[in-house]
Amino acid sequence: MDNPELWEDFKRQVAGKSAPAVTQPENKNPAQPEENKEKEVWYRVGTGWKNGICQNQTGAYHNKKFAIADCRPGQKVFDEKGKAIYSGENAAVQEPGVSAAGYTQKQFVIDVQKATGSNPDGVAGDETIGNTVTVSRSSHKYHAVVTPLERRMKALGYYSGEIEADKGEPPCFGLGMEEAVNAYQKEVLNYKSPDGEVTAGKKAWKSLLGMI
């Protein structure tokens, strides 16, 4: 045979031998599966939307319920496409820090900072979260920080009980607040086993303070 490769193949067939296996080159950069990352969604509170920007923005939230709770008269809640999904025109005008309705996240942060000895600048950071205390029916239930917790939970629709400070009484984290925290943990934090505890060791404080 004129072709050496065909001749060698013929001899292997006669001898009952198979052709040598062809080794595939190693793929040093194998394709990696794309991660299925959930896109962060923001809801913004402001007076309008122009050129992709929320005008006079006063807050941005991952949780739509929080944005609606903090939307005041003259403002609207916008989704990421600039569509107004809620109007604050009918929201009751309340004095921040006193009435539960209209008790915004920023006022909540300031009151928590005051109650725990942090600089009351309305911006939650390392100092703020570091000075928080664990609050529950069995821990710090009479702490001053219970009052802003009650107000914020009421503004978000989780707490329907009385706010002791409004009656001139000392705060008390009771059964109603425990149930409110449990509901918040289930709905917002996706806890499978809520514990009715607001602590920096988990997610509750950071979530309420707008840090996550």
Side-chain angles (χ1 to χ4, degrees), residues 17-28:
K17 297 180 180 180
S18 59
V22 178
T23 303
Q24 296 293 335
E26 181 183 358
N27 184 1
K28 296 183 179 180

Side-chain angles (χ1 to χ4, degrees), residues 41-49 53-64 66-72 75-79 104-106 122 152 210:
V41 178
W42 288 96
Y43 298 95
R44 304 178 187 277
V45 178
T47 58
W49 190 276
I53 299 174
C54 183
Q55 304 297 302
N56 301 310
Q57 179 176 303
T58 57
Y61 311 80
H62 288 304
N63 190 297
K64 181 168 64 175
F66 289 10
I68 291 174
D70 287 358
C71 185
R72 311 312 311 137
Q75 295 182 317
K76 293 181 180 180
V77 177
F78 298 91
D79 64 14
T104 66
Q105 187 176 72
K106 183 173 183 178
R152 188 58 177 161

